[in-house]
Amino acid sequence: MEKEFGEAMRSAVLVRQGFLDLRDNFRRIVDPPSWPSDKAPKLRKQVVLDGPVSCGKSIALAMLVHWARDEGWLVFYVPKGREWTHGGFYYKNPQTGLWDTPVQAEKILKDFRMWNEGHLMKLPCQVYDPIPLGEGAGVGWMKDVDSMTMPEGSTLDDLVKTGIDHTHAAVGVVVRLRKELSLVKEIPVLFAIDQYNSWFTFSEYEVPVTLHSCRPLHAREVATVNAFRSMMHDNMMVGAFSHSTAVGKLRKDLPDVPADARVNFPRYSLDEAATVCHYYLRQRLVRREAFSEENWKKVYYLSNGNGSEMRWLIPLMR
């Protein structure tokens, strides 16, 4: 989106039918129509956006997040799911058997609090079980302490701040936050994960097997991913595949994902391409004397409706 805004010299996006269908799906879940219609499409609480490269999945997801926040929803948005399994420190937590990534966990909590602090301060904690502590980012283990509990009367904002302020608790708080958000009934909660397919492949982390070999850790072995990856629940959740960061083709039936969750997001239709091309003309990405219906249709068919390629080809009109 930032690249699009920079090249077009304006922060604007095309409202496509695919986004409207996605928005209406979740709006009807939260606010069902008074008179149900037999012709209404099936509602899905869990959606996986799939489709060709550069067809607009990530932009549609970002637009859905923006809309949901404007509606007053509590949104857990992960714009770069791949970052959960790449970079930083990683340690195995003997209490959980999973791998902790405290650097990423702290960033997850900071980002979530930045956009939802007002809601979090009003929502009470509902789970008071001990939170397991792990190894801190570059500081080792705490002595003689392996868990912590939140005081009675704590809010979700207190919980998130605890994870930010204490590196040993960061991962445990992220995992606990997933459980707490599933219990929120006061306002709608939406989980939105971009690059969702990266949670079904291997991370960049490795663990020694012998003196001369290592095995890669699968994303499901990372504690934060393990807590948020599953769609086998009753919460609203949408994940978008990113083929630009993919390392291979995933099978159609993914573990922990409902069989009917996958929705194919199309590339531009001819009408959408016409709208986009005339928008680029107004933004002066192409010379007016070179612009014609024949030329913009050539761009559309050459790119097969790929938005990124159309943006690159439009200035080459002659």
Side-chain angles (χ1 to χ4, degrees), residues 91-299:
Y91 316 103
K92 187 166 187 178
N93 191 320
Q95 296 188 68
T96 63
L98 300 171
W99 293 80
D100 289 353
T101 49
V103 174
Q104 284 92 331
E106 182 180 342
K107 184 178 185 302
I108 291 165
L109 295 171
K110 286 181 177 178
D111 289 347
F112 181 61
R113 184 169 184 256
M114 178 173 64
W115 293 103
N116 297 281
E117 184 176 0
H119 289 313
L120 297 176
M121 293 176 68
K122 301 173 185 176
L123 296 171
C125 290
Q126 301 184 58
V127 182
Y128 288 96
D129 297 337
I131 299 171
L133 301 180
E135 194 168 347
V139 296
W141 293 88
M142 292 184 69
K143 291 185 177 179
D144 304 323
V145 181
D146 60 3
S147 66
M148 65 178 298
T149 56
M150 295 298 299
E152 289 286 338
S154 297
T155 64
L156 292 188
D157 187 58
D158 297 327
L159 175 67
V160 171
K161 282 195 294 185
T162 298
I164 295 172
D165 296 338
H166 301 88
T167 182
H168 300 88
V171 174
V173 167
V174 171
V175 174
R176 174 59 54 82
L177 181 64
R178 176 65 186 89
K179 185 180 292 186
E180 289 280 7
L181 292 179
S182 69
L183 300 175
V184 172
K185 304 300 181 187
E186 292 86 344
I187 56 174
V189 178
L190 175 69
F191 297 92
I193 317 296
D194 204 353
Q195 301 179 355
Y196 184 58
N197 49 322
S198 64
W199 290 3
F200 294 88
T201 58
F202 289 98
S203 70
E204 75 167 1
Y205 310 132
E206 295 182 333
V207 56
V209 177
T210 68
L211 287 174
H212 306 289
S213 66
C214 296
R215 74 168 181 87
L217 291 177
H218 197 277
R220 66 173 176 269
E221 299 179 78
V222 178
T224 50
V225 174
N226 186 273
F228 281 84
R229 189 181 79 160
S230 175
M231 285 190 172
M232 307 303 284
H233 49 66
D234 197 43
N235 306 126
M236 292 186 295
M237 181 171 177
V238 55
F241 281 3
S242 173
H243 295 295
S244 59
T245 59
V247 294
K249 191 169 180 65
L250 295 174
R251 69 190 196 190
K252 190 172 182 179
D253 53 328
L254 294 173
D256 303 322
V257 175
D260 63 345
R262 194 175 296 202
V263 174
N264 281 314
F265 206 80
R267 288 179 171 174
Y268 285 153
S269 66
L270 191 62
D271 289 340
E272 290 173 336
T275 302
V276 168
C277 290
H278 283 84
Y279 165 72
Y280 287 149
L281 175 64
R282 294 195 301 274
Q283 295 304 113
R284 300 181 181 179
L285 266 68
V286 57
R287 291 182 294 113
R288 187 169 293 276
E289 59 269 21
F291 187 85
S292 67
E293 182 175 356
E294 180 183 359
N295 279 346
W296 74 252
K297 284 186 176 179
K298 285 180 181 179
V299 168

Side-chain angles (χ1 to χ4, degrees), residues 277 280 285-286 296 299 309-317:
C277 290
Y280 287 149
L285 266 68
V286 57
W296 74 252
V299 168
E309 292 182 12
M310 285 185 62
R311 186 177 63 242
W312 178 77
L313 287 169
I314 281 284
L316 303 180
M317 278 188 188

